[in-house]
Amino acid sequence: MASHRRPKQPSRTRVTVLTATAAAAVALTAQTAQADPKPSKSEVKEKVDKLYEEAEKATEKYNGAKEQQEKLDEQIDALQDKVARGQDELNTLRDSLGSVASAQYRTGGIDPSVQLFLSGDPDTYLDKASALDQLGAKQTEAIQEIQAKQRTLAQQRQEAQSKLGDLAETRKTLGEKKKEVQGKLAEARQLLNSLTAAERAALAADESRANRASARVDLGPAVPASQRASAAFAAAQSQIGKPYVFGASGPNSYDCSGLTSWAFAQAGVSIPRTSQAQASAGTRIYSQSQLKQGDLVIFYGDLHHVGFYAGNGQVLHAPRSGTNVRYESINNMPFQFGVRI
């Protein structure tokens, strides 16, 4: 007959431990949820703005590497052209010297002066002897010219090889900075996508209000820094509303230094491509009260942002990703100094 024992009940101590463990797990989950709440719209905007600023820093480094790449490409092309022309000249010199040597060999082994003496034409002996001396001098000169050309070609080839190495490093830097910018922008987009549709619409409305406020800016009776600065500023004004795009220098979109370099180019003035280089392109002005319309204005300690002084405490610039070319208060960013081109 089968035994019908009652199943063993868990002890009171075990039940207490299990209950306490479950309660602790619930409490820990609640604490984690409380410790990592969904960021607010303002917090997301602050983080996004920080990412955009970091992206702009990387953008100016990208611009610098791109400008260096273009310069190296031009220098390498010029060196390669010089090497090719020099090689052609060297080949011509060698052919010329070879022709003279062949002609001498065909005359036989008799000393040239003896051949002239036995020629039966003593009246022209001295003239012909002088011609032979000149021929020897020309041969020596040709040999020296060949040697000099060979040394020059070797130097040019070495220089071109060095430039090619620099170009490879620059292209590597260019790729790294482009990847860094794209990473920052992707992170910013991800943060913005974490907002609700209503929150994103509110941010878009803020941006729209900033653009409308830019259209109503009163520049006052601004004094231009110079005729060319005035022309550059007018060119920049014609681009108001164009979008900010990293690495862009017009005419459909711009980053900060792309706008300023493009605008000065329209005025017939060539300035460097990056904000850091533009910071050293003219006379620095450290007092905001001394700025004139068309002066460049440099922002941030690492000089990664630039715009035009517009007058009445306003700057005209391409602010950052997600914005358009517009006027803003000079006090919106940490002012460093102005630059009068």
Side-chain angles (χ1 to χ4, degrees):
M1 184 175 179
S3 173
H4 297 283
R5 295 180 180 178
R6 294 177 62 187
K8 187 177 180 180
Q9 297 298 320
S11 67
R12 182 181 300 275
T13 302
R14 187 180 176 198
V15 170
T16 303
V17 170
L18 290 173
T19 303
T21 302
V26 171
L28 181 61
T29 302
Q31 288 174 2
T32 302
Q34 290 174 359
D36 190 21
K38 183 178 180 295
S40 66
K41 177 171 72 74
S42 60
E43 290 172 333
V44 167
K45 185 178 185 307
E46 184 179 352
K47 290 180 181 178
V48 167
D49 287 346
K50 183 65 176 175
L51 284 168
Y52 281 152
E53 183 184 338
E54 292 171 355
E56 189 176 35
K57 290 180 184 179
T59 294
E60 288 305 292
K61 292 179 181 177
Y62 167 88
N63 290 336
K66 188 175 181 181
E67 185 178 36
Q68 178 66 9
Q69 176 187 261
E70 291 168 355
K71 287 180 180 177
L72 285 169
D73 281 333
E74 292 176 1
Q75 291 170 358
I76 289 168
D77 286 344
L79 280 169
Q80 288 175 337
D81 285 344
K82 283 183 181 179
V83 168
R85 287 196 302 270
Q87 188 63 58
D88 288 342
E89 292 170 2
L90 182 59
N91 292 340
T92 300
L93 287 170
R94 283 173 171 167
D95 291 344
S96 176
L97 188 61
S99 299
V100 172
S102 297
Q104 286 184 342
Y105 178 78
R106 286 194 299 270
T107 64
I110 302 175
D111 184 85
S113 61
V114 175
Q115 292 181 31
L116 283 174
F117 182 75
L118 297 174
S119 67
D121 190 4
D123 293 336
T124 59
Y125 174 81
L126 292 176
D127 289 339
K128 292 183 178 180
S130 176
L132 267 180
D133 288 341
Q134 291 176 3
L135 179 61
K138 286 181 179 178
Q139 285 179 295
T140 302
E141 184 181 340
I143 291 171
Q144 291 173 344
E145 189 175 354
I146 286 172
Q147 290 172 335
K149 184 65 69 176
Q150 286 174 326
R151 287 193 296 269
T152 301
L153 276 176
Q155 290 171 355
Q156 289 174 343
R157 286 193 175 106
Q158 186 177 1
E159 187 179 354
Q161 193 63 37
S162 176
K163 295 289 185 186
L164 286 169
D166 292 341
L167 182 60
E169 284 296 317
T170 300
R171 283 177 173 162
K172 180 182 176 182
T173 301
L174 193 65
E176 289 171 350
K177 291 306 169 187
K178 183 175 183 180
K179 185 177 180 181
E180 183 180 351
V181 173
Q182 290 173 333
K184 299 290 184 186
L185 296 180
E187 192 176 349
R189 283 193 296 271
Q190 187 176 3
L191 275 170
L192 289 171
N193 289 336
S194 71
L195 296 173
T196 65
E199 288 171 331
R200 289 197 298 273
L203 287 178
D206 291 342
E207 183 64 23
S208 180
R209 277 193 295 272
N211 288 331
R212 289 197 300 272
S214 173
R216 298 191 300 270
V217 163
D218 178 14
L219 301 181
V223 178
S226 68
Q227 186 175 352
R228 286 189 169 180
S230 178
F233 179 73
Q237 283 182 305
S238 72
Q239 302 305 294
I240 289 175
K242 298 286 183 72
Y244 179 105
V245 173
F246 96 89
S249 55
N252 298 317
S253 56
Y254 301 89
D255 59 25
C256 68
S257 58
L259 175 66
T260 51
S261 58
W262 176 88
F264 266 105
Q266 309 316 299
V269 180
S270 177
I271 64 173
R273 174 63 176 86
T274 67
S275 59
Q276 290 90 348
Q278 289 177 16
S280 300
T283 303
R284 292 189 177 185
I285 302 166
Y286 291 94
S287 172
Q288 290 188 23
S289 64
Q290 294 178 359
L291 291 172
K292 294 183 179 180
Q293 191 176 75
D295 283 336
L296 296 180
V297 190
I298 308 296
F299 298 95
Y300 298 97
D302 62 356
L303 317 180
H304 74 260
H305 191 77
V306 63
F308 281 102
Y309 184 68
N312 200 23
Q314 299 289 314
V315 291
L316 174 59
H317 66 149
R320 55 171 175 73
S321 293
T323 65
N324 298 332
V325 175
R326 67 189 182 204
Y327 297 109
E328 286 187 349
S329 169
I330 196 172
N331 297 317
N332 284 0
M333 297 163 287
F335 169 82
Q336 301 301 306
F337 50 82
V339 177
R340 186 158 296 158
I341 302 297

